[in-house]
């Protein structure tokens, strides 16, 4: 995994790569280019590369509310899972959330993404809500960490890699 690079999305090419991974992982919430641009204006988007090959992406929503809750979402393309890339993306997003002053962290996973739910649970996330968006059929799961792990967190250990 020494060749893994995680870079903030910068420019149209990287935004399209981020959008591609997002849409592969969560097809019910597939985004248009305009949707992705709007997201990039509000959140920190990142891409992960193994050498020059795109393997995943992340989203960090800044802390909000009285509880200073940030949202960190890591997505890894199916062919690259179970190799520690999700843990690296998560650790990178968590570090950014920590810099922004997050006191707690949430994530959101499509309920049919059993691998994603197991990954979040291995990281210590606990389910807090299941819901279906108005007019939709797909079930979503919100999970939460009530405290932000410190910078010494070993993402390999907690991800079981």
């Amino acid at each position: 995994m020494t060749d893994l690079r995680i870079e903030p999305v910068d420019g149209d090419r990287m935004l399209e790569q981020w959008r591609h991974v997002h849409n592969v992982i969560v097809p019910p919430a597939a985004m248009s280019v305009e949707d992705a641009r709007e997201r990039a204006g509000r959140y920190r988007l990142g891409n992960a590369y193994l050498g020059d090959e795109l393997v995943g992406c992340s989203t960090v929503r800044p802390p909000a509310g009285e509880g200073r809750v940030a949202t960190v979402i890591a997505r890894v393309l199916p062919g690259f899972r179970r190799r520690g890339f999700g843990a690296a993306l998560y650790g990178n997003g968590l570090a950014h959330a920590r810099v922004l002053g997050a006191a707690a962290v949430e994530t959101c996973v499509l309920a049919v993404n059993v691998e994603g739910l197991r990954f979040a649970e291995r990281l210590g996330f606990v389910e807090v809500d299941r819901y279906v968006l108005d007019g939709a059929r797909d079930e979503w799961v919100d999970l939460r960490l009530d405290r932000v792990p410190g910078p010494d967190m070993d993402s390999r250990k907690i991800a079981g890699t």
Side-chain angles (χ1 to χ4, degrees):
M1 193 169 68
T2 58
D3 291 338
L4 187 71
R5 289 186 341 273
I6 301 171
E7 299 181 8
V9 168
D10 183 22
D12 289 343
R13 180 174 178 273
M14 288 182 77
L15 184 63
E16 181 55 34
Q17 291 173 331
W18 180 92
R19 188 175 80 93
H20 167 76
V21 175
H22 176 278
N23 290 353
V24 166
I25 305 303
V26 286
M31 287 188 192
S32 68
V33 172
E34 294 79 25
D35 293 336
R37 278 197 187 107
E38 187 271 333
R39 263 306 138 100
R42 292 187 295 143
Y43 308 138
R44 180 179 180 256
L45 308 181
N47 288 341
Y49 302 92
L50 182 60
D52 291 329
E53 192 166 6
L54 180 68
V55 301
C57 75
S58 65
T59 302
V60 178
R61 298 176 189 160
E66 232 177 85
R68 302 284 305 149
V69 179
T71 301
V72 177
I73 303 169
R75 301 174 198 88
V76 176
L77 292 169
F80 296 96
R81 292 182 180 162
R82 312 253 346 130
R83 295 171 26 181
F85 302 144
L89 273 164
Y90 167 76
N92 182 273
L94 184 61
H96 187 68
R98 201 179 298 110
V99 166
L100 296 175
V105 178
E106 292 184 344
T107 195
C108 181
V109 180
L110 191 58
V112 297
N113 182 355
V114 175
E115 286 180 83
L117 289 171
R118 285 186 190 138
F119 173 77
E121 289 166 357
R122 281 195 310 270
L123 294 173
F125 282 90
V126 175
E127 182 177 326
V128 293
D129 195 17
R130 283 186 181 245
Y131 54 93
V132 175
L133 297 172
D134 289 340
R137 297 182 189 173
D138 300 287
E139 186 177 46
W140 295 89
V141 181
D142 285 346
L143 302 106
R144 184 180 176 119
L145 281 175
D146 283 325
R147 65 173 189 76
V148 179
D152 59 340
M153 172 199 76
D154 185 342
S155 60
R156 292 179 310 260
K157 181 179 175 186
I158 62 174
T161 59

